[in-house]
Amino acid sequence: MAGNAQILYEVKAQRGSTLRCKGWRQETILRMLENNMENAEHPEKLIIYGGNGKCARNWESYHAIVKSLKELEDDETLVVQSGMPVAVFKTHKYAPVVVMATTNFMRPSWETFYDLEAKNLTIFAQYTAAPWEYIGTQGVIEGTFETLAAVGIKHYGGHMENRILLTAGAGGMGGNQTWAMKMHGGVAIVVDADREILQRRIEKNYLDEIVPSMDEAIRLAKKHAAEGKPHSFGVVGNAADCFEEAYEKGFMPDVITEMCPCHDPISYIPSGYTPEEARELRQKDLDAYMEKARTTMKRQLKAMLAYLDKGVPVFEYGTSIRKECRDAGFPEAEAMRLPAFVADYIRPLFCEGRGPFRWTCISGDPADLKRTDQLAMELFGDDPVVGRWIPLASKHLPIEALPARICYMGFGQRKKFALAVNELIRKGEIVGPVAFSRDNLDSGSIVNPTFESERMPDGGDLISDWPMLNGLLNACGMCDLIAIQANYSMGEAVHTGVTQIADGTDDAKVRLEVAMTVDSGIGVIRHAQAGYESAKAVAGGKGKLTKEGIKVPLWWEPADKVTFGPDGSDRL
């Protein structure tokens, strides 16, 4: 098995027009899996990103998935349970190529998960790792860009030029932060405990240089900001240590956040430990490791709150640091004082059905990506989100593995764009196919009461019906891959992943027309039913992006305005 692992360490997504499968839908899904591996943080362990997010349960499962996709008929569906292929069913040509469920189990806790994982019964999905939709560091970059834009609007007169971001975590998700800040004309300092991770970001062109100390990072960041020179600096160190040091030395950056793997304490490196020492402790005494990690995490949160009290814009960027610290004994009211970026900055985008929509050019030809970028501008160049983002992304973001793009298109836009891409493939202007997917941060794909669904106006932060409805609707939409999975901090989130393929055929057109409507449409409805007037306008056909509406049989009302029984008050 060691030999196979070494071979697969070198895996790259196939490019070109050669089919290994019995159709382009199957081939596209296989290349998406391979693209995961090409972008992986630890491919030899099948770990794609996030410290523990895997694309397959074990190497036997990986080989079996590849073999199944190569042999899969057009009217068959592969079933994957937590990274293991468990069945192939005869379905029909409009059915998904793959359906999967990952990390879903009862009475969730990290201790239970580790026990089940040790028994070879599950894996951790992360968001796009398990459903084979990870496109590299670019995958979350526009979310960071739009968040920083909202920070600029709220705190700095609408711009972030010459501002300094202090953050931590440069892994597969966090590594995007430096480019997002530089694209705003600002300077970024990113702290990470693992030098190899920072070096990887340099090799991928997501970090400019590693400096030897916080003192040097602060000095150079101030210098570059004063001179109007966007730049990014990496510092090898622990987030808690470096945040405390910066605060004690009186350094006041313009914005602070972090993208450390707080959601999974086993992946969070405690203060005083190198990555190698952390691995040794983890293997020797997991309980001691978890305690030390959570103690360090609480110090990090305390430092961030100290900055917040000084008036610096500080927020949690979806890492679950507040929840994990709360569970480890940090006072809940104090932990939750730290703002969260969705509720405080970018939820208005969700009301329009926007989120991290992305596409991957399966041919591997950069010309296909260039043509899709051009198409996006042709169709939506006057949209302030798309029109600003696409030129910046085209200019600055490197291609990682298969050419891919992320863009916060909303309800109505996604369908129009996907159908236009399908037509260009039919005409031969794009070699194709193109796989459409999206991340967790989408309008209607997730429930997470300390992240995407925090502080909903209707009080429905905990309601998990919405992602389930999203998955059911995507099944109706004949998506090529549908995944239902648990993510984030254990027991805190449920999410759906989808992949839809444009291959230039009439069948793809049928699928895209439905799937691109329902996937973001249920997000619009979720926010409209919660009480957001902008989402209600979109549902009513009066949105800024499209005049296509959604039928709504009944609007939600508070309990005191509805009837539960004959006397108008009895609920039983």
Side-chain angles (χ1 to χ4, degrees):
M1 183 50 59
N4 285 337
Q6 184 60 40
I7 292 170
L8 284 169
Y9 180 83
E10 302 293 336
V11 81
K12 292 186 181 296
Q14 178 158 308
R15 276 76 163 167
S17 58
T18 300
L19 272 173
R20 296 163 294 172
C21 301
K22 296 186 177 183
W24 270 113
R25 295 173 69 212
Q26 302 95 311
E27 178 74 27
T28 296
I29 297 298
L30 175 56
R31 293 192 191 188
M32 291 293 282
L33 170 60
E34 293 171 336
N35 195 55
N36 257 27
M37 289 291 288
E38 188 170 343
N39 278 303
E41 294 289 307
H42 299 288
E44 73 283 0
K45 299 178 182 178
L46 298 163
I47 293 175
I48 308 304
Y49 72 89
N52 61 351
K54 300 180 72 173
C55 67
R57 192 178 301 181
N58 45 50
W59 283 107
E60 289 81 3
S61 292
Y62 183 92
H63 287 301
I65 289 168
V66 171
K67 183 175 185 291
S68 297
L69 288 171
K70 287 181 177 179
E71 296 175 352
L72 203 68
E73 300 289 346
D74 290 341
D75 60 352
E76 291 182 326
T77 297
L78 172 64
V79 182
V80 179
Q81 181 262 320
S82 285
M84 176 181 171
V86 296
V88 173
F89 283 104
K90 179 74 72 173
T91 51
H92 54 82
K93 71 172 186 175
Y94 289 107
V97 176
V98 177
V99 295
M100 63 171 64
T102 313
T103 328
N104 302 293
F105 57 92
M106 305 305 293
R107 301 171 188 167
S109 70
W110 280 116
E111 289 74 16
T112 303
F113 169 77
Y114 296 138
D115 179 62
L116 294 171
E117 183 186 42
K119 293 175 180 175
N120 189 36
L121 290 170
T122 192
I123 60 173
F124 196 71
Q126 277 298 349
Y127 296 106
T128 56
W132 316 329
E133 295 162 346
Y134 185 59
I135 62 170
T137 308
Q138 182 192 171
V140 295
I141 191 169
E142 192 183 1
T144 309
F145 180 86
E146 297 297 344
T147 300
L148 292 172
V151 170
I153 292 170
K154 188 172 182 177
H155 300 288
Y156 298 117
H159 64 86
M160 293 294 288
E161 289 92 344
N162 309 329
R163 300 288 176 179
I164 300 175
L165 165 68
L166 172 61
T167 188
M173 298 288 281
N176 83 89
Q177 300 174 95
T178 49
W179 255 123
M181 189 62 179
K182 285 173 60 180
M183 290 164 79
H184 276 291
V187 177
I189 300 173
V190 59
V191 175
D192 199 287
D194 192 334
R195 176 176 286 273
E196 288 185 8
I197 288 178
L198 290 172
Q199 186 60 43
R200 193 177 300 135
R201 296 286 79 80
I202 287 179
E203 293 167 0
K204 293 279 190 178
N205 195 29
Y206 274 82
L207 182 67
D208 292 317
E209 60 177 300
I210 300 173
V211 295
S213 67
M214 278 300 296
D215 279 340
E216 186 71 356
I218 292 168
R219 182 185 70 81
L220 290 172
K222 288 180 176 179
K223 180 176 183 292
H224 278 73
E227 294 173 354
K229 296 179 179 178
H231 204 77
S232 58
F233 302 95
V235 179
V236 180
N238 180 274
D241 296 340
C242 291
F243 282 14
E244 288 173 349
E245 179 185 351
Y247 182 83
E248 289 166 3
K249 291 180 175 178
F251 174 53
M252 292 292 134
D254 297 293
V255 59
I256 296 175
T257 189
E258 54 82 39
M259 291 191 74
C260 302
C262 304
H263 69 281
D264 176 26
I266 200 174
S267 298
Y268 184 98
I269 297 177
S271 174
Y273 286 79
T274 65
E276 294 76 19
E277 292 168 342
R279 279 192 288 271
E280 291 176 6
L281 176 61
R282 190 184 300 129
Q283 294 169 358
K284 179 181 178 181
D285 191 339
L286 183 58
D287 290 340
Y289 187 98
M290 297 278 279
E291 182 180 354
K292 290 178 181 293
R294 284 169 169 152
T295 297
T296 304
M297 207 180 296
K298 287 188 283 186
R299 285 177 45 211
Q300 180 184 333
L301 178 58
K302 186 176 179 181
M304 295 173 75
L305 289 168
Y307 268 115
L308 182 69
D309 291 337
K310 288 289 187 180
V312 176
V314 188
F315 56 89
E316 180 189 306
Y317 196 34
T319 67
S320 194
I321 188 170
R322 297 173 302 166
K323 187 261 186 186
E324 287 298 324
C325 289
R326 179 198 70 193
D327 291 353
F330 201 97
E332 181 173 6
E334 182 70 0
M336 299 309 290
R337 280 203 306 118
L338 187 70
F341 82 105
V342 171
D344 277 57
Y345 292 111
I346 66 167
R347 185 162 287 155
L349 297 176
F350 291 176
C351 293
E352 296 180 328
R354 296 190 194 261
F357 179 63
R358 69 268 292 269
W359 56 92
T360 304
C361 299
I362 298 302
S363 69
D365 190 342
D368 279 359
L369 181 61
K370 183 177 180 180
R371 183 66 185 93
T372 58
D373 283 345
Q374 291 172 345
L375 177 65
M377 292 300 292
E378 291 166 9
L379 295 176
F380 313 120
D382 58 347
D383 173 29
V385 174
V386 178
R388 175 181 60 177
W389 173 252
I390 290 294
L392 286 170
S394 302
K395 178 180 179 181
H396 294 293
L397 298 186
I399 290 177
E400 304 172 80
L402 292 177
R405 180 69 70 229
I406 184 170
C407 186
Y408 268 51
M409 291 181 186
F411 180 70
Q413 290 179 322
R414 298 186 187 190
K415 179 172 70 173
K416 187 174 182 179
F417 180 74
L419 290 173
V421 167
N422 196 61
E423 180 63 15
L424 290 181
I425 295 171
R426 187 188 68 79
K427 292 179 178 179
E429 292 186 40
I430 295 174
V431 177
V434 172
F436 297 100
S437 60
R438 44 110 175 112
D439 206 345
N440 62 293
L441 193 61
D442 210 42
S443 175
S445 69
I446 191 167
V447 57
N448 185 335
T450 53
F451 191 177
E452 289 92 347
S453 59
E454 182 177 6
R455 301 201 327 251
M456 295 297 283
D458 62 354
D461 302 19
L462 298 171
I463 298 295
S464 58
D465 294 336
W466 297 103
M468 302 300 181
L469 290 170
N470 177 280
L472 291 169
L473 284 166
N474 275 304
C476 296
M478 303 159 285
C479 277
D480 294 285
L481 182 148
I482 303 170
I484 297 178
Q485 55 199 38
N487 297 299
Y488 197 62
S489 183
M490 189 56 62
E492 196 75 0
V494 176
H495 163 242
T496 59
V498 296
T499 296
Q500 182 62 47
I501 298 165
D503 60 9
T505 63
D506 289 340
D507 283 351
K509 181 180 178 181
V510 172
R511 290 187 175 93
L512 291 167
E513 188 145 19
V514 181
M516 290 294 164
T517 299
V518 300
D519 187 46
S520 59
I522 192 63
V524 171
I525 291 300
R526 195 273 174 270
H527 289 85
Q529 292 288 9
Y532 286 101
E533 293 301 324
S534 58
K536 285 188 175 182
V538 175
K542 298 178 181 178
K544 294 180 293 183
L545 308 182
T546 179
K547 300 308 176 187
E548 178 181 356
I550 306 169
K551 293 182 180 179
V552 178
L554 183 66
W555 289 111
W556 175 83
E557 294 282 1
D560 61 355
K561 294 185 178 180
V562 296
T563 303
F564 294 102
D567 62 356
S569 62
D570 186 3
R571 301 187 184 200
L572 299 177

